[in-house]
């Protein structure tokens, strides 16, 4: 299902100071890594199997990408994150699974990105990942 997870550490605290607060951002999609890096956020890829539920408090953002056939796996992952996160942590879902207009009702994420996410992720960075 998921092939990789990026573990992102930021060196540019000014750009996402409200989001980062000195914590690590978890990314489970390779494409977002390049976008974040171009915005001054240092990122490196870490295999998904190293992602442990007990470390959820160490992360601020979760970018999750999935195909439509990955629905059950994505839902299970989001459910685990939701059981262990606080309100300041955000779950952003992308990939083909996000084409479902009712995805955020079915999977309790915070933001879904439909289509290519390059522009949307940059806009979210500018808004400290506040989608409103």
């Amino acid at each position: 299902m998921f092939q990789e997870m990026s573990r992102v550490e930021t060196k540019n605290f000014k750009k996402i100071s409200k989001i980062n607060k000195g914590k690590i951002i978890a990314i489970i999609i390779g494409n977002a890594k390049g976008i974040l890096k171009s915005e001054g956020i240092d990122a490196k890829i870490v295999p998904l199997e190293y992602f442990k539920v007990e470390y959820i408090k160490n992360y601020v953002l979760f970018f999750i990408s999935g195909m439509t056939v990955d629905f059950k796996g994505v839902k299970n992952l989001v459910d685990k994150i939701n059981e262990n996160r606080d309100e300041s942590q955000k779950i952003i879902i992308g990939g083909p699974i996000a084409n479902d207009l009712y995805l955020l009702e079915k999977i309790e994420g915070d933001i879904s990105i439909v289509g290519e996410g390059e522009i949307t992720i940059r806009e979210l960075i500018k808004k400290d990942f506040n989608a409103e």
Side-chain angles (χ1 to χ4, degrees):
M1 180 176 70
F2 299 107
Q3 295 179 352
E4 60 187 25
M5 180 182 91
S6 301
R7 182 175 161 201
V8 178
E9 299 178 44
T10 183
K11 290 182 180 177
N12 188 344
F13 290 95
K14 290 180 183 175
K15 274 194 175 173
I16 58 169
S17 60
K18 291 179 187 172
I19 292 296
N20 185 33
K21 296 180 182 158
K23 293 183 179 179
I24 296 169
I25 301 170
I27 304 260
I28 306 175
I29 117 182
N31 188 24
K33 175 193 171 197
I35 297 165
L36 291 170
K37 190 170 184 174
S38 74
E39 293 293 325
I41 301 167
D42 190 30
K44 62 183 177 181
I45 303 273
V46 176
L48 179 60
E49 57 268 15
Y50 292 117
F51 181 80
K52 298 183 187 305
V53 173
E54 59 266 20
Y55 298 140
I56 287 172
K57 295 293 180 196
N58 297 329
Y59 297 93
V60 177
L61 299 173
F62 300 89
F63 282 77
I64 302 169
S65 178
M67 305 296 285
T68 53
V69 297
D70 297 328
F71 178 85
K72 186 175 181 180
V74 171
K75 179 158 179 34
N76 288 339
L77 178 59
V78 170
D79 288 347
K80 286 179 184 178
I81 294 169
N82 278 329
E83 290 171 8
N84 296 282
R85 73 175 176 138
D86 61 43
E87 291 180 14
S88 67
Q89 296 170 299
K90 303 276 187 193
I91 299 173
I92 298 136
I93 302 170
I97 195 170
N99 288 325
D100 180 347
L101 297 176
Y102 302 101
L103 178 70
L104 295 179
E105 292 174 15
K106 297 174 185 175
I107 297 177
E108 296 178 18
D110 298 300
I111 300 169
S112 66
I113 298 175
V114 178
E116 298 298 321
E118 289 87 352
I119 295 169
T120 305
I121 292 172
R122 285 188 175 91
E123 289 297 315
L124 287 169
I125 289 169
K126 290 176 189 174
K127 295 178 179 185
D128 289 325
F129 288 87
N130 181 356
E132 296 178 21

